[in-house]
Amino acid sequence: MLQPRISARESTLTTLATALNNLALCSRHAPKPRQPQLIFTRHASHAAQGRANGPKDSAGRRLGAKKTASEYVIPGNIIFKQRGTKWFPGENVGIGKDHTIYSLIHGYVRYYRNPAVHPKRRYIGVALEREGQASRLPTPFNAPTRRRLGMYATPIKENENILSPEAQAIKDSAYLRGHIAGSSQPGGKSVPVPPQAATQKVPKGKLFTLQTNPFDPKYAPRAGGYGMANYEIGRAAERKGVSVKEFDRKDRWTAWRVRAKKVKEKMVARAARANRKTKGRKSSKKVAL
Amino acid sequence: MAIAQSQGVLFDQLPFQCFQEARKVLTEDRQEKLQQIQTMRDRIARLQQSDGNALHRGGEQYKQKRLESMRTELEHLKILADINDPNVKRRFEDGKGDMSKPIYRFLADRKWREYVRKILIQRVTQMKVVPDVVPHCDPIVDIKIKFGRTNVQSGDFVDSAISEKPCQLTVQSFEKDPKLITIAIVDPDVPNLETDSFNSRCHFLASNVQIDALTPHLDLAKLAEEQVLVPWLPPTAQKGSPYHRLSIVLFQQKDNISVDKAVALRNIQQTDFRTRSFMTRHMLTPIGASLFRTKWDDNMGAVMQRAGIDGAELELKRVKVQPLPYKRRNPSTFR
């Protein structure tokens, strides 16, 4: 469709005349209102052209800077979201697979150029301090790297999770009692766990004998501990008639009871540990920093 | 295969026509080069005897500069004369090259630069020994580290029990003239809790050690009393600290002038050894660098106790960075 393009096309002489006329004080030489020339032009494509297939436009991707210069960031904070590398990763900064610039240390964001490395690139880095020598990026060429220790000292402790054998046996038997069928009611019948159980009577003609009692709490598998392999246990549980309640995700009541028991045991163990350390006296805990 | 099949025939007399024709050309070229070497030697002798001031308006300085460049050209001609000799190539590849001859030194240097030196530079720059310990280093000597019988590649972790005793270095120089070097073993990763930063600790320092192309082996335990400025301190690392880089830097003393032990000892800092200031004070240039690493292991506690280093009973733990205050978008009310 032809669109009118309104233009006042004049030559240089006429522009000069118009300029002088505008300066005139006499009414006879006052500037006359000019009739604009209407020139009809037609361009190949319109700004308002649509797309045939696919989305005409999509929602904004929220790209750009998320942290400005001198802002405090912690490790992992995204500093800049971009398509391609408008900004390159500088010091103490990483780059993701979609070229997202993120911080690797806690510090203050710096936007800078480094002509020694590349004449045109722009870099984003994180400096250790807000002001002073260590706040300026890029670090001088061949200067020692600026880094933070970021650690504190504590005395080395022996592993606290390892209990004494008796305490562990009590804990294991309690665990078994809680998980074997028929003991979800308080005071329900518990399966007797013999500490020194006789080995199973092996009928004649069997391929191998079970040397150890699988119901011995010593062999109960613990987190991070060693448990008996299934081939060792064999079908001892089946033969004994042990049936374990199947885990029901919807039974929040049992789940709560198990959780509450664990929490209580943990508190008891912690108190016992503290008690043991201070030999019965109240412990005054000093956190080493 | 050719040698195995033909017994009694010398390597360069093997009856391959192309090979023999090429040998003829190369022998002629060698004669030419030998002529050029002789003329250059004569020219150098004549220039040395002449008077500098009568020669050129530049005078003595000009004469020395010309002599310098003529000697370099002479060395270059010596290499060119022997480089095409198949026997030389064979002897070098069999490891029987005599390092007192320039051609074998040249071939060894070229082979070192092709691969081993590149690896060394990569290790040293990746582990940041270059900006942290010394500002720059252009290796011209090869360094090999050995603790007793164990060979240690650059950058390897060394057990504290093994590194308790001083190491043996093989410092291969590819130049004819003997050099006086200074050996420094520096650990730039000693944690300093007060400044929340790191200190530099010197584990070994020796100067006025002579090395040349023919004597590469250096046992740090067997150096003379006057040469050792800081005796061997076993490398240690506290439990939980990041690994420590034990960087070995070799410096050439300027014009092979001896380093004064008294002066050096007066200025060495005990707590924080500054390699850069030591370098500038005694006018040292780094000519070689390597490193090995150390971290906490089961023997470390005992080693630290014996060496009298504190901190064996302490463990370092990371200070947790406080998260920035954001409004949590998944409180229990949302569920």
Side-chain angles (χ1 to χ4, degrees):
Chain A
M1 198 175 104
L2 286 176
Q3 301 283 346
R5 188 156 62 88
I6 299 162
S7 67
R9 220 184 275 156
E10 305 174 73
S11 67
T12 40
L13 273 173
T14 44
T15 24
L16 186 62
T18 345
L20 286 168
N21 252 350
N22 286 340
L23 290 167
L25 295 165
C26 167
S27 59
R28 263 215 283 156
H29 294 103
K32 278 180 257 176
R34 298 190 132 262
Q35 301 287 51
Q37 291 177 317
L38 281 175
I39 303 152
F40 287 93
T41 54
R42 174 166 57 150
H43 293 282
S45 60
H46 292 229
Q49 249 186 335
R51 317 235 179 290
N53 307 309
K56 310 291 183 277
D57 195 4
S58 59
R61 292 299 116 200
R62 282 92 169 118
L63 302 173
K66 306 297 172 206
K67 297 284 175 194
T68 52
S70 297
E71 235 185 290
Y72 177 72
V73 288
I74 60 170
N77 274 9
I78 292 174
I79 303 170
F80 204 95
K81 275 238 176 231
Q82 54 188 354
R83 291 280 170 269
T85 41
K86 285 168 164 254
W87 291 85
F88 284 85
E91 290 175 44
N92 301 317
V93 133
I95 186 158
K97 68 173 198 175
D98 61 349
H99 311 109
T100 300
I101 307 275
Y102 60 93
S103 171
L104 293 172
I105 61 158
H106 59 102
Y108 301 89
V109 179
R110 289 276 175 275
Y111 292 81
Y112 61 98
R113 284 190 195 265
N114 194 352
V117 169
H118 199 281
K120 287 192 208 165
R121 286 185 180 174
R122 304 180 300 175
Y123 294 91
I124 299 177
V126 176
L128 293 173
E129 278 158 45
R130 206 196 167 87
E131 283 127 359
Q133 191 72 288
S135 77
R136 276 176 230 122
L137 289 181
T139 47
F141 184 64
N142 275 352
T145 44
R146 287 200 194 102
R147 52 208 170 120
R148 220 185 255 126
L149 176 59
M151 289 185 152
Y152 66 95
T154 43
I156 297 175
K157 287 185 269 204
E158 299 305 319
N159 201 337
E160 290 170 335
N161 291 330
I162 297 172
L163 303 171
S164 64
E166 306 85 39
Q168 191 61 58
I170 294 164
K171 188 175 172 185
D172 293 341
S173 61
Y175 175 86
L176 280 174
R177 235 177 283 131
H179 283 77
I180 287 170
S183 55
S184 49
Q185 306 103 26
K189 66 168 167 118
S190 54
V191 176
V193 180
Q196 248 112 33
T199 51
Q200 282 206 324
K201 243 191 198 150
V202 181
K204 269 191 188 160
K206 285 288 168 181
L207 280 168
F208 60 86
T209 58
L210 210 57
Q211 297 303 322
T212 45
N213 182 9
F215 297 104
D216 192 337
K218 195 163 50 172
Y219 298 105
R222 301 191 291 279
Y226 170 72
M228 281 171 71
N230 282 341
Y231 78 89
E232 285 177 301
I233 300 168
R235 301 169 108 185
E238 260 183 71
R239 285 192 218 105
K240 196 98 184 193
V242 170
S243 57
V244 177
K245 242 176 85 176
E246 203 177 305
F247 173 66
D248 183 13
R249 196 180 290 278
K250 294 228 169 88
D251 184 2
R252 302 316 307 157
W253 164 240
T254 312
W256 173 82
R257 288 188 66 242
V258 168
R259 200 167 57 242
K261 196 184 293 194
K262 269 191 207 163
V263 167
K264 197 173 177 189
E265 274 168 12
K266 208 171 187 176
M267 282 170 59
V268 164
R270 199 181 293 164
R273 221 187 309 133
N275 220 21
R276 201 193 330 131
K277 268 192 180 164
T278 58
K279 291 188 185 118
R281 291 190 294 274
K282 259 200 184 148
S283 61
S284 56
K285 277 217 169 138
K286 274 190 196 150
V287 178
L289 196 74
Chain B
M1 191 184 85
I3 301 161
Q5 285 177 354
S6 52
Q7 290 104 340
V9 179
L10 281 170
F11 172 63
D12 53 358
Q13 303 296 336
L14 285 169
F16 299 107
Q17 190 181 18
C18 193
F19 177 56
Q20 292 302 329
E21 291 298 317
R23 261 197 73 237
K24 276 188 203 148
V25 173
L26 293 173
T27 321
E28 271 176 40
D29 177 69
R30 185 160 190 271
Q31 293 309 315
E32 257 176 64
K33 291 289 182 298
L34 290 175
Q35 288 267 342
Q36 287 179 4
I37 287 170
Q38 194 49 51
T39 45
M40 187 58 88
R41 281 207 169 113
D42 295 335
R43 286 176 68 197
I44 288 173
R46 249 179 289 133
L47 184 58
Q48 208 144 24
Q49 279 157 15
S50 69
D51 177 28
N53 293 311
L55 193 69
H56 193 265
R57 62 191 166 104
E60 196 59 39
Q61 206 183 21
Y62 170 80
K63 178 185 154 189
Q64 289 305 321
K65 209 168 173 190
R66 261 195 81 187
L67 276 173
E68 192 68 48
S69 45
M70 283 164 91
R71 286 194 188 110
T72 325
E73 178 64 19
L74 178 64
E75 292 301 313
H76 186 57
L77 283 171
K78 284 182 193 171
I79 308 285
L80 284 179
D82 289 324
I83 195 78
N84 294 316
D85 192 345
N87 284 313
V88 164
K89 185 168 192 278
R90 186 189 189 200
R91 228 171 278 133
F92 173 70
E93 280 167 12
D94 288 346
K96 296 178 191 153
D98 180 10
M99 288 301 264
S100 60
K101 300 216 163 63
I103 180 64
Y104 295 109
R105 284 200 300 271
F106 170 79
L107 289 170
D109 184 36
R110 190 171 70 173
K111 186 176 177 198
W112 175 64
R113 279 172 186 268
E114 260 164 33
Y115 186 71
V116 178
R117 182 176 179 270
K118 289 180 179 171
I119 297 274
L120 206 66
I121 289 176
Q122 186 192 56
R123 297 276 160 91
V124 158
T125 43
Q126 274 186 346
M127 293 281 118
K128 301 223 183 129
V129 164
V130 153
D132 285 356
V133 179
V134 281
H136 57 83
C137 180
D138 179 31
I140 57 173
V141 297
D142 185 26
I143 304 177
K144 286 195 178 58
I145 314 165
K146 202 171 179 186
F147 277 98
R149 271 191 280 170
T150 39
N151 281 315
V152 171
Q153 273 215 18
S154 57
D156 271 356
F157 281 101
V158 181
D159 194 73
S160 52
I162 296 169
S163 63
E164 205 174 351
K165 297 220 169 64
C167 61
Q168 294 91 49
L169 297 176
T170 307
V171 179
Q172 182 64 61
S173 160
F174 302 104
E175 281 164 26
K176 174 177 62 170
D177 306 316
K179 291 196 244 281
L180 272 188
I181 60 161
T182 299
I183 306 163
I185 299 185
V186 179
D187 177 358
D189 299 324
V190 178
N192 187 336
L193 296 164
E194 284 90 49
T195 57
D196 194 26
S197 184
F198 297 88
N199 278 355
S200 205
R201 186 163 62 195
C202 181
H203 283 262
F204 184 80
L205 192 59
S207 56
N208 311 328
V209 179
Q210 180 155 314
I211 52 143
D212 56 53
L214 292 167
T215 50
H217 295 285
L218 209 64
D219 192 341
L220 299 187
K222 295 206 173 95
L223 290 174
E225 190 65 49
E226 329 59 83
Q227 289 176 313
V228 176
L229 298 169
V230 175
W232 183 266
L233 185 69
T236 51
Q238 277 186 299
K239 185 171 185 187
S241 76
Y243 60 74
H244 293 224
R245 302 161 285 167
L246 272 294
S247 51
I248 302 170
V249 192
L250 262 58
F251 299 101
Q252 180 168 12
Q253 288 158 214
K254 187 170 178 183
D255 298 331
N256 290 339
I257 297 167
S258 295
V259 165
D260 195 340
K261 183 169 175 178
V263 171
L265 282 175
R266 221 183 300 142
N267 290 302
I268 286 171
Q269 304 91 357
Q270 285 306 313
T271 44
D272 199 2
F273 178 71
R274 262 172 241 124
T275 322
R276 278 168 162 85
S277 49
F278 182 78
M279 232 173 87
T280 45
R281 187 173 302 115
H282 301 282
M283 294 183 294
L284 305 170
T285 337
I287 55 165
S290 186
L291 81 153
F292 63 92
R293 293 184 280 176
T294 186
K295 59 183 176 192
W296 174 266
D297 48 48
D298 297 327
N299 308 317
M300 192 68 82
V303 170
M304 279 175 99
Q305 203 181 30
R306 287 195 287 270
I309 300 169
D310 295 323
E313 68 292 336
L314 290 176
E315 182 182 351
L316 294 179
K317 290 193 173 162
R318 233 166 37 86
V319 173
K320 274 207 178 116
V321 178
Q322 293 304 312
L324 291 172
Y326 288 124
K327 191 172 170 63
R328 295 223 61 83
R329 295 182 64 76
N330 55 352
S332 52
T333 50
F334 275 27
R335 283 179 240 124

